[in-house]
Amino acid sequence: MTIGRLLLAVGGAMSLVASLVHLAAIIGGPNWFRWIGAGERIARRVETGDKSPIILTVGIAAALMVIAIAAFAGAGIIRPIPLTRFVLILASAVYLARGMALFAPKLLRRPDLSPAFVVVSSAIVLIMGIAYAAGTALQWPHLSNQGAT
């Protein structure tokens, strides 16, 4: 397996885990929402039976799953999918942007998040962004040309 394929496989696995953690938060309830960094306000809304945090979390989990599928396609683990290049570029940009909070924690100015959570989550997401960006660059010639790339 080439380095590019390996990086996309690792990034895809991390996105898959993140998707499953978000789905587990729905099952786990308010304390799980707090643990994944949704914040106290969202956790309280879940406690009151508000469905909007659940809907948002399902959407986030679905987006993370699509990103994981694109990474697995780019790594050659599954068949190519349309828009693979586009999804991988977008995922790289979003993960890298979110990971920048590691270097400027005040970017995530939220009193309900501990500094440790911001640093650890930012480091994880930055690693994901690097894996996606480098893997995409290395695999570029082999990525799906189906659809708009």
Side-chain angles (χ1 to χ4, degrees):
M1 180 176 273
T2 67
I3 295 293
R5 290 178 66 189
L6 178 63
L7 288 169
L8 287 175
V10 168
M14 293 176 80
S15 293
L16 176 61
V17 168
S19 176
L20 296 175
V21 166
H22 280 77
L23 293 174
I26 295 169
I27 297 165
N31 286 333
W32 280 59
F33 274 84
R34 289 179 184 96
W35 182 79
I36 67 169
E40 189 59 32
R41 185 174 57 107
I42 298 294
R44 286 192 182 146
R45 288 173 62 188
V46 172
E47 286 173 337
T48 66
D50 184 349
K51 299 296 183 212
S52 59
I54 305 297
I55 294 166
L56 177 63
T57 304
V58 167
I60 292 168
L64 289 166
M65 187 63 68
V66 167
I67 292 168
I69 290 168
F72 294 145
I77 296 170
I78 63 173
R79 292 174 39 189
I81 61 170
L83 303 173
T84 300
R85 287 179 172 175
F86 173 77
V87 173
L88 292 176
I89 290 168
L90 184 62
S92 300
V94 170
Y95 283 146
L96 289 171
R98 169 57 179 83
M100 289 294 104
L102 179 64
F103 304 106
K106 291 185 180 185
L107 289 174
L108 291 179
R109 290 181 188 199
R110 290 184 41 198
D112 55 336
L113 296 180
S114 72
F117 176 85
V118 172
V119 169
V120 170
S121 64
S122 297
I124 291 168
V125 174
L126 182 61
I127 290 166
M128 292 168 75
I130 292 168
Y132 272 85
T136 300
L138 292 168
Q139 281 298 106
W140 191 260
H142 309 289
L143 295 176
S144 170
N145 286 320
Q146 298 173 319
T149 56

